[in-house]
């Protein structure tokens, strides 16, 4: 069982909808990540929060808006998405900030379909 | 040169076979190296870290050659349960440089172990 919990597991939304993906970890990790994974492709980094501050934004379009309310929670707000944004969105955490420890603990992902 | 490049695969091997995966990375400043395993429609999970001196965990051996910027994973006595995609992961520099290290995933190599 993963110690990083993501909700919802599946989400279908229209291009005009606003929705959010949520991620929670209670391992005391200080870095949290959003990755996007398309079928048969590797995960691609979107955002990194280190000690609750946005550390890395990999030039992600503004229709994706991350939020880190506290050290245990990470949200990804979605607005005006495109069908090509359909993918598996993976949340991960690591013990220390900015990937210095290496090991990422992934959630099971939220599978997003944009109609 | 891509940041992280892996054997494209797929690899189809019989049970009991030995199989090796190779990976090269472009950033000579990279300091952390990992092999992750991802089962179909599941999240990636850490298989093993890769240390400069090489390391072994049961049937799995990982090696690092910093001079050639090359990482390998050897699986001995393959089991059916080893069937998965194996992802080479390297840390690098996030946009903005400095100490904003990020983990970059290779495209992955699909392994199928056949009875």
């Amino acid at each position: 069982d993963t110690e990083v919990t993501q909700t919802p597991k599946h989400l279908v939304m229209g291009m005009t909808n606003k929705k959010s993906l949520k991620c929670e970890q209670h391992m005391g990790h200080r870095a949290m990540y959003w990755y996007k994974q398309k079928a048969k492709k590797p995960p691609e980094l979107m955002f990194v929060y280190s000690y609750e501050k946005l550390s890395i934004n990999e030039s992600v379009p503004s229709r994706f808006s991350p939020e880190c309310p506290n050290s245990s929670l990470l949200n990804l707000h979605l607005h005006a998405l495109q069908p090509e944004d359909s993918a598996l969105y993976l949340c991960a955490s690591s013990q220390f900030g900015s990937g210095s420890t290496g090991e990422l603990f992934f959630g099971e992902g939220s599978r997003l379909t944009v109609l | 040169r891509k940041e992280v490049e892996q054997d494209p695969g797929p690899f189809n091997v019989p049970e009991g076979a030995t199989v090796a995966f190779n990976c090269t990375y472009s950033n000579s400043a990279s300091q952390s190296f990992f092999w992750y395993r991802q089962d179909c429609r599941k999240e990636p999970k850490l298989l093993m870290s890769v240390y400069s001196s090489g390391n072994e965990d049961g049937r799995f051996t990982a090696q690092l050659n910093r001079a050639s910027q090359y990482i390998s994973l050897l699986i001995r006595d393959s089991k059916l349960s080893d069937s998965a995609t194996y992802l080479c992961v390297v840390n690098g520099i996030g946009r903005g440089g400095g100490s904003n290290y990020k983990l970059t995933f290779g495209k992955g190599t699909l392994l199928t172990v056949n009875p």
Side-chain angles (χ1 to χ4, degrees):
Chain A
D1 288 341
T2 182
E3 295 183 75
V4 177
T5 305
Q6 289 188 242
T7 55
K9 291 197 184 327
H10 299 275
L11 177 63
V12 179
M13 61 186 289
M15 290 190 282
T16 57
N17 291 158
K18 283 186 184 181
K19 296 285 185 184
S20 297
L21 306 180
K22 297 184 184 300
C23 176
E24 190 169 2
Q25 58 88 13
H26 293 289
M27 295 180 281
H29 287 178
R30 304 316 303 265
M32 295 186 77
Y33 308 74
W34 281 114
Y35 279 84
K36 173 182 176 179
Q37 187 173 27
K38 303 278 273 185
K40 300 189 189 300
K41 299 284 187 185
E44 291 181 2
L45 183 66
M46 299 175 71
F47 302 104
V48 181
Y49 273 82
S50 177
Y51 297 93
E52 300 165 49
K53 289 187 168 45
L54 184 63
S55 174
I56 296 177
N57 176 343
E58 287 288 284
S59 300
V60 178
S62 60
R63 58 185 185 268
F64 295 92
S65 174
E67 179 197 17
C68 188
N70 59 55
S71 60
S72 300
L73 292 174
L74 185 66
N75 298 323
L76 186 63
H77 302 299
L78 314 171
H79 175 52
L81 294 193
Q82 304 296 312
E84 58 264 30
D85 296 322
S86 299
L88 180 68
Y89 288 84
L90 291 160
C91 174
S93 69
S94 65
Q95 188 174 6
F96 302 112
S98 299
S100 59
T101 181
E103 181 176 1
L104 297 180
F105 292 79
F106 283 90
E108 293 182 343
S110 293
R111 194 164 296 279
L112 173 68
T113 302
V114 182
L115 301 177
Chain B
R1 185 178 182 181
K2 292 181 183 173
E3 288 187 69
V4 180
E5 203 151 1
Q6 289 187 241
D7 285 336
F11 284 53
N12 285 282
V13 303
E15 267 187 294
T18 295
V19 60
F21 302 135
N22 301 316
C23 173
T24 56
Y25 60 96
S26 61
N27 185 352
S28 59
S30 295
Q31 296 185 10
S32 302
F33 311 91
F34 310 90
W35 285 101
Y36 276 72
R37 169 195 169 127
Q38 187 170 24
D39 293 289
C40 187
R41 300 184 73 81
K42 296 282 193 180
E43 74 276 19
K45 291 187 178 177
L46 180 68
L47 179 65
M48 58 196 304
S49 302
V50 186
Y51 303 121
S52 296
S53 53
N55 48 300
E56 189 173 308
D57 182 2
R59 298 181 292 108
F60 299 86
T61 300
Q63 294 200 310
L64 167 65
N65 182 324
R66 284 189 187 273
S68 302
Q69 295 179 207
Y70 168 92
I71 305 156
S72 66
L73 176 68
L74 184 75
I75 305 176
R76 291 182 298 279
D77 188 22
S78 302
K79 312 288 185 194
L80 295 177
S81 57
D82 293 333
S83 298
T85 296
Y86 290 83
L87 297 156
C88 175
V89 184
V90 177
N91 85 326
I93 308 290
R95 291 179 199 274
S99 61
N100 289 326
Y101 293 110
K102 67 172 188 177
L103 293 180
T104 300
F105 286 73
K107 286 191 172 181
T109 304
L110 177 61
L111 171 67
T112 302
V113 181
N114 301 304

